[in-house]
């Protein structure tokens, strides 16, 4: 196994542990405050009211920054013929397709949960719907951002930067509560879906390709190592 593949596996393990810890803490908080209570608590915080414009900007545009990073990485890896980088970039797109576009979208449209700002209907499960007002479960933004943060972690050697990426995903989940667009269970489901899709793709699509690259790369002989 090459140093690059060993490093990738280590980052995956550490990121997986951090993700599980985030889910455990978030689920505990969500169960404690409840769906309606949690949404109301966060959306009525004085800090949230004072920084509404910042929260709205964050929830609208932070995702775009990750898209630029990974599309740029894909273009760079193709141009410079860096197969390991290309594998991670393509893995990111595959995980987004599986989690954010396929699973999250199907659940949203099938379950039809009304968002917290829908008045008397808030939180109700109304069945299949194409109206965005009834697409509360799960949080697509959170699904997207956890996918982005986990794949970004595969590129970052510094543990602090990997944790910072996950922190951004948590922050975007917070903005969805603060803007009364989701309930805590919606956000937790988004984190679960995004993380699950990411780790499935990383372990069963990215890593096997990394190992095949190892096998195809000539290893230096003992004599050359001694020189």
């Amino acid at each position: 196994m090459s140093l690059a593949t060993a490093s990738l596996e280590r980052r995956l393990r550490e990121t997986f542990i951090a993700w599980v810890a985030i889910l455990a803490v978030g689920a505990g908080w969500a169960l404690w405050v409840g769906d309606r209570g949690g949404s109301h608590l966060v959306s009525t915080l004085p800090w949230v009211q004072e920084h509404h414009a910042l929260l709205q900007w964050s929830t609208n545009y932070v995702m775009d920054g990750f898209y630029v990073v990974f599309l740029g990485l894909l273009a760079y890896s193709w141009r410079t013929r860096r197969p390991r980088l290309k594998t991670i970039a393509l893995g990111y797109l595959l995980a987004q397709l599986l989690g954010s576009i396929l699973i999250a979208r199907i659940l949203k449209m099938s379950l039809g949960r009304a968002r917290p700002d829908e008045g008397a209907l808030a939180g109700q499960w109304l069945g299949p719907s194409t109206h965005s007002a009834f697409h509360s479960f799960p949080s697509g933004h959170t699904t997207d951002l956890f996918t982005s943060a986990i794949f970004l972690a595969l590129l970052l050697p510094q543990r602090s930067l990997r944790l910072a990426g996950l922190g951004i995903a948590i922050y975007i989940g917070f903005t969805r509560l603060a803007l009364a667009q989701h309930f805590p269970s919606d956000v937790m489901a988004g984190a679960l879906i995004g993380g699950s899709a990411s780790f499935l793709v990383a372990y069963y699509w990215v890593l096997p390709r990394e190992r095949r690259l190892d096998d195809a790369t000539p290893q230096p002989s003992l004599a050359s190592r001694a020189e």
Side-chain angles (χ1 to χ4, degrees):
M1 182 188 299
S2 70
L3 289 176
T5 302
S7 177
L8 178 63
E9 290 188 350
R10 176 178 55 80
R11 293 172 194 170
L12 262 176
R13 286 194 300 270
E14 292 180 355
T15 306
F16 179 80
I17 292 170
W19 172 69
V20 170
I22 291 168
L23 287 180
V25 172
W29 177 81
L31 288 171
W32 179 51
V33 298
D35 256 2
R36 291 182 180 275
S39 178
H40 178 76
L41 173 67
V42 175
S43 62
T44 57
L45 286 171
W47 186 90
V48 167
Q49 301 301 315
E50 293 172 7
H51 297 86
H52 191 274
L54 171 64
L55 294 167
Q56 188 67 61
W57 181 91
S58 299
T59 206
N60 287 342
Y61 298 112
V62 167
M63 288 192 304
D64 296 342
F66 283 99
Y67 297 156
V68 170
V69 167
F70 281 100
L71 290 176
L73 178 67
L74 183 61
Y76 171 77
S77 64
W78 237 306
R79 182 177 179 83
T80 60
R81 298 183 180 180
R82 303 281 295 276
R84 295 184 188 276
L85 290 180
K86 184 171 73 173
T87 297
I88 292 175
L90 289 174
Y92 165 78
L93 295 177
L94 181 59
Q96 287 285 22
L97 177 63
L98 175 62
S100 300
I101 298 177
L102 186 61
I103 298 176
R105 185 58 54 185
I106 288 175
L107 287 174
K108 280 176 175 290
M109 297 180 69
S110 300
L111 299 176
R113 190 184 198 188
R115 296 183 187 272
D117 60 356
E118 286 302 309
L121 291 176
Q124 293 188 31
W125 306 84
L126 304 174
S129 174
T130 58
H131 199 296
S132 64
F134 308 118
H135 288 175
S136 187
F137 184 92
S139 168
H141 282 70
T142 310
T143 303
D144 189 302
L145 262 294
F146 268 89
T147 302
S148 299
I150 289 167
F151 270 86
L152 183 65
L154 304 186
L155 300 169
L156 299 173
Q158 296 90 352
R159 187 176 299 163
S160 59
L161 293 179
R162 297 198 295 272
L163 291 175
L166 290 170
I168 293 173
I170 294 171
Y171 167 67
I172 293 303
F174 172 81
T175 68
R176 305 308 289 162
L177 296 175
L179 297 171
Q181 292 300 298
H182 291 286
F183 296 96
S185 60
D186 304 334
V187 172
M188 293 308 305
L192 177 63
I193 294 168
S196 298
S198 298
F199 288 114
L200 282 172
V201 171
Y203 277 109
Y204 296 106
W205 195 88
V206 174
L207 274 180
R209 282 158 178 76
E210 291 286 326
R211 292 174 182 136
R212 283 201 289 271
L213 284 172
D214 288 346
D215 294 339
T217 302
Q219 299 298 316
S221 65
L222 292 176
S224 64
R225 290 178 185 178
E227 292 176 357

